[in-house]
């Protein structure tokens, strides 16, 4: 029994010694784990800081590139723009760092790029080994910009079916679009100009009527209009209004200027308007390209819903507002730039709430202007004009407002430019809010259009 007791005593001593060893071992493991946790926390902190800083720098450079493209700022202001964006995020505490520092901003005028290099000095949660208590985190990003000018012509439906809330919604959406296109730029040297073309039975050509529109005074004159100075030209004193219908003959689907072929004011227009109880042309006259937001809004506030949907006539005049061929009859500030995809982006926005349903060029009597059989010629004419516009490099967006006719949708889809991976060109709006959003989506894409075309 004495031997057995000694054995038990020996075992107990070993156990006591092992307990001490385990304590030491546990302490060592705990220290290693603490270091590992601290290192992991630092790595996570640095990763999050790097990701957040990259996002801030990306947004700052993208925003600045967009403002350069749309003319909101000049190249000389780019550095200030990026630094202001970084400072705003510093104050917001996005990175838990004292300040985001812009190390360098490079504008490459040849490649049309803006590059920013920035950093933050980050205080680490767990200073370890040679890491110290501060770590510099850097980020760099590059974005494209464009120095192209941008011309936007908006064809807006003011036909009878737009009466009531719809015309109110259009006024709001169109005014907001004007603001989105023009706000913030130098009005004395604008990068973006906007034109408005209201349409219904015809287009009110305003001041352009005197030099661009030929008034037919008899059925025998229902043919291709003459150029300026022709014997049959009707002077402003004899002009009953500033209405314009289709150009006829050889140049019907062309953007040649009125010196080559004037646009007709069809002989049947007045009779058609009288028989249908509608206005011969919209109360609001078209407005050629301008950077004057107040002038454009003054046109919009005069929108009155009346008349049928001569959509092809609206398309035709939208094209003229973007065509250099019409510059000779416009004031210098209104003249469209010479077509050059490297220098100017030309954009047409075609908006309607219904099916194109009347035309004059194929009608012999008033009864043939507006009937079921007459809808196909105006749709075909519109699509032909749209194709010709796209062939000239004009980007076309279309907006259907509360459409309930398949032919109307098909015409707008056919007129629109092809979609890209990022930009769609045909919009459907069921109400005023969606109409406004459609215009805003297009407005936000103008810098992308300037960059890619």
């Amino acid at each position: 029994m004495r031997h057995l007791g000694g054995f038990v005593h020996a075992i107990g001593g070993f156990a006591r010694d092992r307990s001490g060893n385990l304590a030491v071992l546990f302490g060592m493991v705990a220290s290693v784990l603490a270091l590992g946790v601290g290192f992991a926390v630092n790595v996570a902190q640095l990763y999050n800081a790097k990701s957040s800083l990259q996002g801030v720098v990306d947004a700052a450079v993208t925003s600045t590139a967009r403002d350069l493209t749309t003319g909101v700022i000049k190249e000389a202001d780019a550095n200030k723009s990026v630094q202001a964006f970084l400072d705003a995020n510093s104050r917001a505490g996005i990175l838990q760092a004292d300040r985001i520092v812009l190390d360098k901003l490079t504008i490459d005028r040849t490649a049309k790029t803006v590059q920013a290099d920035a950093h933050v000095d980050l205080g680490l949660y767990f200073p370890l080994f040679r890491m110290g208590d501060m770590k510099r985190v850097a980020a760099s990003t590059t974005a494209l910009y464009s120095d192209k000018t941008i011309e936007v012509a908006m064809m807006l439906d003011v036909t009878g079916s737009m009466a009531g809330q719809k015309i109110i919604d259009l006024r709001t959406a169109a005014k907001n679009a004007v603001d989105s296109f023009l706000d913030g730029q130098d009005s004395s040297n604008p990068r973006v100009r906007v034109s408005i073309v209201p349409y219904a039975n015809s287009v009110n050509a305003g001041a352009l009527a005197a030099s661009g529109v030929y008034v037919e005074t008899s059925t025998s004159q229902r043919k291709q209009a003459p150029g300026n100075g022709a014997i049959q030209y009707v002077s402003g004193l004899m002009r009953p209004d500033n209405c314009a219908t289709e150009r006829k003959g050889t140049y019907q689907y062309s953007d040649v200027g009125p010196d080559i072929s004037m646009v007709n004011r069809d002989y049947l227009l007045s009779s058609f308007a009288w028989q249908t109880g509608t206005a011969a042309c919209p109360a609001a006259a078209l407005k050629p390209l301008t950077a004057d937001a107040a002038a454009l809004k003054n046109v919009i506030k005069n929108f009155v819903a009346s008349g049928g949907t001569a959509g092809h006539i609206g398309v035709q005049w939208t094209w003229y507002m973007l065509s250099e061929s019409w510059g000779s009859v416009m004031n210098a500030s209104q003249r469209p730039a010479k077509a050059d995809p490297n220098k100017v982006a030309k954009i047409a926005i075609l908006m309607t709430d219904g099916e194109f349903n009347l035309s004059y060029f194929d009608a012999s009597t008033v009864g043939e202007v507006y009937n079921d059989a007459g809808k196909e010629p105006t749709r075909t004419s519109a699509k032909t004009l749209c194709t010709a516009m796209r062939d000239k490099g004009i980007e076309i967006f279309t907006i259907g407002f509360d459409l309930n006719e398949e032919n109307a949708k098909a015409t707008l889809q056919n007129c629109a430019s092809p979609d890209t991976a990022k930009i769609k060109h045909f919009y459907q709006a069921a109400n005023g809010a969606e109409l406004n959003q459609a215009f805003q989506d297009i407005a936000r894409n103008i810098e992308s259009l300037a960059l890619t075309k």
Side-chain angles (χ1 to χ4, degrees):
M1 292 294 293
R2 195 167 44 227
H3 294 295
L4 180 60
F7 177 73
V8 171
H9 178 77
I11 292 296
F14 176 77
R16 284 192 296 274
D17 291 340
R18 187 179 180 193
S19 175
N21 292 337
L22 287 174
V24 172
L25 181 61
F26 178 79
M28 294 174 61
V29 170
S31 297
V32 172
L33 287 175
L35 290 172
V37 170
F39 183 77
V41 169
N42 285 348
V43 169
Q45 184 186 7
L46 291 170
Y47 175 82
N48 290 335
K50 174 73 172 179
S51 178
S52 297
L53 178 61
Q54 190 67 58
V56 170
V57 176
D58 286 349
V61 174
T62 300
S63 175
T64 299
R66 180 176 63 247
D67 288 347
L68 284 170
T69 296
T70 57
V72 173
I73 64 172
K74 296 180 173 64
E75 286 186 12
D77 301 320
N79 193 294
K80 185 187 301 182
S81 174
V82 172
Q83 186 64 68
F85 200 101
L86 299 181
D87 289 345
N89 280 275
S90 295
R91 291 191 297 271
I94 301 299
L95 294 167
Q96 290 81 50
D98 291 338
R99 187 166 184 260
I100 304 173
V101 179
L102 177 61
D103 297 311
K104 185 178 181 182
L105 184 74
T106 305
I107 296 179
D108 187 327
R109 293 179 176 83
T110 302
K112 294 294 186 292
T113 59
V114 181
Q115 179 178 333
D117 300 286
H119 78 267
V120 293
D121 290 320
L122 195 67
L124 296 177
Y125 293 137
F126 293 95
L128 298 172
F129 305 120
R130 295 181 181 178
M131 293 183 73
D133 60 353
M134 297 294 290
K135 188 70 175 178
R136 178 159 292 188
V137 178
S140 178
T141 195
T142 303
L144 287 169
Y145 76 98
S146 173
D147 58 0
K148 294 178 185 178
T149 57
I150 299 171
E151 299 174 353
V152 182
M154 299 195 293
M155 180 192 89
L156 303 176
D157 187 335
V158 293
T159 58
S161 57
M162 287 288 294
Q165 185 61 43
K166 291 171 77 172
I167 199 71
I168 295 172
D169 290 339
L170 175 58
R171 292 191 198 109
T172 299
K175 288 178 181 177
N176 290 341
V178 167
D179 285 338
S180 294
F181 281 121
L182 300 180
D183 269 4
Q185 65 176 342
D186 182 356
S187 59
S188 64
N189 185 30
R191 293 282 306 284
V192 184
R193 291 182 297 159
V194 175
S195 168
I196 292 178
V197 181
Y199 79 97
N201 288 348
S202 62
V203 165
N204 183 338
L208 299 185
S211 53
V213 179
Y214 169 71
V215 178
E216 299 171 0
T217 57
S218 70
T219 54
S220 64
Q221 295 176 3
R222 301 190 73 245
K223 59 184 180 181
Q224 181 177 345
N228 288 349
I231 295 174
Q232 291 182 312
Y233 175 68
V234 179
S235 72
L237 295 176
M238 298 175 58
R239 187 176 301 281
D241 50 40
N242 291 326
C243 295
T245 56
E246 305 100 336
R247 171 179 272 158
K248 299 178 183 178
T250 304
Y251 300 105
Q252 182 172 356
Y253 301 116
S254 165
D255 66 332
V256 299
D259 55 325
I260 295 176
S261 175
M262 298 177 73
V263 178
N264 292 61
R265 183 205 185 278
D266 197 278
Y267 181 72
L268 297 174
L269 175 61
S270 295
S271 297
F272 172 75
W274 181 79
Q275 289 190 21
T276 57
T278 59
C281 58
L286 63 78
K287 186 72 176 176
L289 291 170
T290 181
D292 187 341
L296 291 164
K297 291 179 182 179
N298 191 53
V299 173
I300 294 168
K301 78 175 184 179
N302 291 323
F303 284 176
V304 176
S306 176
T309 312
H312 64 301
I313 297 175
V315 173
Q316 167 189 273
W317 280 93
T318 301
W319 188 6
Y320 299 161
M321 295 303 97
L322 297 172
S323 172
E324 62 191 271
S325 299
W326 279 74
S328 62
V329 294
M330 298 178 183
N331 296 331
S333 64
Q334 301 172 334
R335 292 170 188 163
K338 182 178 180 180
D340 183 343
N342 295 317
K343 295 181 178 180
V344 59
K346 293 179 181 279
I347 303 163
I349 304 173
L350 312 178
M351 171 266 163
T352 187
D353 78 327
E355 185 176 352
F356 295 173
N357 55 25
L358 68 92
S359 55
Y360 304 92
F361 69 94
D362 60 323
S364 299
T365 65
V366 171
E368 294 175 352
V369 171
Y370 183 43
N371 54 41
D372 288 339
K375 293 177 182 178
E376 184 54 39
T378 188
R379 291 195 296 262
T380 299
S381 181
K383 290 184 283 189
T384 303
L385 286 163
C386 287
T387 298
M389 289 170 67
R390 293 197 305 269
D391 288 345
K392 287 290 186 76
I394 296 174
E395 192 89 6
I396 302 178
F397 291 89
T398 58
I399 305 174
F401 184 26
D402 192 26
L403 289 183
N404 53 22
E405 295 164 314
E406 285 302 313
N407 284 329
K409 179 179 176 181
T411 299
L412 292 180
Q413 288 175 318
N414 184 281
C415 268
S417 295
D419 289 342
T420 66
K422 295 182 179 180
I423 300 175
K424 72 174 184 176
H425 293 79
F426 167 61
Y427 291 80
Q428 291 196 87
N431 51 50
E434 292 183 6
L435 179 65
N436 184 69
Q437 189 61 53
F439 278 109
Q440 292 303 309
D441 287 348
I442 295 169
R444 277 195 298 271
N445 281 325
I446 64 173
E447 69 272 14
S448 297
L449 298 175
L451 290 171
T452 58
K453 292 292 180 179

